[in-house]
Amino acid sequence: MNDMEDMIQYDFCKPYLMLDEYILWKGKPEKGHLITGNDVIVSLFGIVWLFFCLNFIRAIFMQPTLFLIIWMIPFVCVGFYMAFGKIIQKIYLRNKTFYVITNKKLMIKKGRKIQIYNGNDLPPMEIKIHNNGLGTIIFSEFVYTGRRRYHRYIMLENLINVVQVQNAIEVMKGSKS
């Protein structure tokens, strides 16, 4: 990839930079380590879900009614998404994902979606080094909202030089907004 293409891919961050803000690091995920253990579990559950839905549809066709056939369509769609959709989405977004770390914030662009996180508000960092030498940085925390608790995480996946990215994050977190 040449420098001009590289500049265009990271232009998304320019409107969000403040006057005293500058880029410490920019990059994108490399190929490899696409599927996580969670993805495998969801896919296996989706395959089982899909199997039961398709068997139910087969039973419906013994005495078909339009209502039951239409009623099962959402269940089959959910099964397909759980079994295959999430992985297909990850493959599609891999080449459309870009990361920018400035002295004040972290920006992640996935497809057309841009997420911006204030550097001082990021949860603690966890680093995972994969067998292929690439690394993933994960910011993880539990968020409590009224009656509900959920796990929120932010990931910078498949990075070539994790130490360089970690240093940029440390500088960002050390900078005062």
Side-chain angles (χ1 to χ4, degrees), residues 12-13 16-17 21-22 24-27 98-109 114-123 125 137-139 152-157 159 165 168-169 172-173 177:
F12 77 90
C13 71
Y16 306 103
L17 295 176
E21 193 170 6
Y22 53 91
L24 297 169
W25 178 86
K26 60 184 177 180
F98 303 96
Y99 308 125
V100 174
I101 299 172
T102 72
N103 60 320
K104 296 186 180 210
K105 59 181 99 116
L106 165 65
M107 293 183 252
I108 300 173
K109 180 182 181 200
I114 299 173
Q115 299 167 310
I116 301 174
Y117 304 96
N118 184 330
N120 295 326
D121 296 337
L122 287 172
M125 176 177 22
I137 295 178
I138 303 167
F139 300 95
R152 178 179 89 132
Y153 60 92
I154 303 159
M155 292 196 320
L156 304 175
E157 300 178 274
L159 305 170
V165 179
I169 291 168
M172 172 189 57
K173 285 183 149 200
S177 294

Side-chain angles (χ1 to χ4, degrees), residues 12-176:
F12 77 90
C13 71
K14 286 182 181 177
Y16 306 103
L17 295 176
M18 298 188 303
L19 290 176
D20 60 342
E21 193 170 6
Y22 53 91
I23 296 173
L24 297 169
W25 178 86
K26 60 184 177 180
K28 60 183 185 174
E30 297 296 319
K31 300 208 182 307
H33 197 266
L34 182 68
I35 300 171
T36 64
N38 189 36
D39 294 333
V40 171
I41 292 169
V42 170
S43 290
L44 289 175
F45 182 77
I47 289 169
V48 171
W49 175 287
L50 198 54
F51 174 77
F52 283 114
C53 287
L54 293 176
N55 274 333
F56 186 76
I57 288 174
R58 192 179 62 141
I60 289 173
F61 279 115
M62 303 283 184
Q63 295 179 350
T65 65
L66 184 60
F67 171 75
L68 285 176
I69 292 170
I70 292 173
W71 184 70
M72 283 304 294
I73 289 173
F75 291 98
V76 171
C77 291
V78 167
F80 269 114
Y81 181 75
M82 285 191 305
F84 311 109
K86 195 73 170 169
I87 293 171
I88 291 169
Q89 182 182 23
K90 276 186 162 189
I91 291 168
Y92 174 75
L93 287 177
R94 175 61 60 92
N95 293 328
K96 295 172 178 30
T97 299
F98 303 96
Y99 308 125
V100 174
I101 299 172
T102 72
N103 60 320
K104 296 186 180 210
K105 59 181 99 116
L106 165 65
M107 293 183 252
I108 300 173
K109 180 182 181 200
K110 288 187 177 184
R112 294 183 176 179
K113 181 179 177 183
I114 299 173
Q115 299 167 310
I116 301 174
Y117 304 96
N118 184 330
N120 295 326
D121 296 337
L122 287 172
M125 176 177 22
E126 176 185 335
I127 299 173
K128 287 186 179 181
I129 305 297
H130 309 297
N131 292 338
N132 61 3
L134 299 175
T136 295
I137 295 178
I138 303 167
F139 300 95
S140 174
E141 69 181 341
F142 285 102
V143 178
Y144 299 91
T145 59
R147 299 184 199 174
R148 192 168 166 247
R149 175 183 100 153
Y150 68 94
H151 193 209
R152 178 179 89 132
Y153 60 92
I154 303 159
M155 292 196 320
L156 304 175
E157 300 178 274
N158 291 348
L159 305 170
I160 289 179
N161 190 344
V162 179
V163 174
Q164 184 182 20
V165 179
Q166 177 196 7
N167 290 337
I169 291 168
E170 294 299 330
V171 169
M172 172 189 57
K173 285 183 149 200
S175 297
K176 302 294 180 218

